[in-house]
Amino acid sequence: MSEITIKQHSVALTAMWGQSLSFATGGYDHLVHLWDVQDDLISATCQPLAIKHTAQVQSLLSIHDTSRKLISASSDCNAHIWDLSSERVVNTLKASNSIFHLHKTRFPHCTLLEVAHRELQFEIRDHRLVPEEPVLRFGYPTAQTHGRYIRGDYREHAFACGARDGTIRVWDTRNIRAPCNNTECLPGEKIVQVVFTSSHLIACSIRNQFTLVPFP
């Protein structure tokens, strides 16, 4: 086992697409750094990317559509799309609220965002420059926003996310008018993360309780 110490206040981390020894970090300093691990596996070099956020970087996502790109999302409500080959921001997704998490979708040109909203917590954004339908918004009414410590998961056309009341909701992203499934699995417990397996959803509560929910 090798260990690399990063002397930065990072809150976001992602492995870079197609590069086994490369990753990106972002955090409270509003900056995004690209790291390359050396062959000895105990040291790394990094470079700051010319991505300008005005608040902390909360999520990073490495994608490949027409080229290798890195998306950085911040509490400044912006998600910048950095192209690695041209080394510049080629597009910016401007959300109306703070962006907590980014998810890959079935389509390489679309990204799912979790945002700070009390009715429309989720957005699917088409980040092509001239999209046919730039954004789809969906969610459910709740008294409080999810916050950065509730995180959902995407598989095929399904997106699942927990809530503060112990309920897991699943949407079919081809029809987002209402959840296709509601499961109260941990009553009264805030569910902080949901993850798909091949046949189930695994939910984790704020008190580290775990539960398995069958999912076809």
Side-chain angles (χ1 to χ4, degrees), residues 73-144:
S74 167
S75 55
D76 65 8
C77 306
N78 290 319
H80 296 307
I81 302 177
W82 175 268
D83 184 83
L84 275 80
S85 59
S86 63
E87 298 186 341
R88 64 188 181 93
V89 173
V90 293
N91 197 3
T92 295
L93 309 177
K94 295 184 179 294
S96 57
N97 301 82
S98 174
I99 304 168
F100 297 133
H101 304 295
L102 299 167
H103 300 273
K104 291 181 181 178
T105 70
R106 186 178 177 89
F107 306 101
H109 55 270
C110 290
T111 298
L112 192 149
L113 285 61
E114 297 187 46
V115 301
H117 200 280
R118 288 199 298 246
E119 290 87 23
L120 301 171
Q121 297 89 354
F122 316 113
E123 301 182 358
I124 298 176
R125 295 273 182 155
D126 188 330
H127 38 75
R128 291 173 292 188
L129 292 179
V130 188
E132 293 182 8
E133 194 164 5
V135 58
L136 297 174
R137 296 183 175 91
F138 60 101
Y140 68 100
T142 181
Q144 294 177 274

Side-chain angles (χ1 to χ4, degrees), residues 4 16 19-24 33-40 43-47:
I4 299 171
M16 297 305 294
Q19 297 175 283
S20 60
L21 295 179
S22 182
F23 61 94
H33 287 81
L34 185 62
W35 295 78
D36 288 303
V37 179
Q38 303 304 299
D39 292 337
D40 59 13
S43 58
T45 58
C46 79
Q47 60 171 322

Side-chain angles (χ1 to χ4, degrees), residues 61 101-108 110-114 122-125 136 138 151-161 169-174 176 193-197 201 215:
L61 182 66
H101 304 295
L102 299 167
H103 300 273
K104 291 181 181 178
T105 70
R106 186 178 177 89
F107 306 101
C110 290
T111 298
L112 192 149
L113 285 61
E114 297 187 46
F122 316 113
E123 301 182 358
I124 298 176
R125 295 273 182 155
L136 297 174
F138 60 101
R151 180 181 175 88
D153 195 21
Y154 181 98
R155 187 190 72 177
E156 294 295 328
H157 291 289
F159 178 74
C161 194
R169 292 172 174 83
V170 182
W171 284 264
D172 184 330
T173 56
R174 294 166 296 186
I176 57 175
Q193 188 160 7
V194 173
V195 177
F196 280 109
T197 70
L201 282 164
F215 186 78

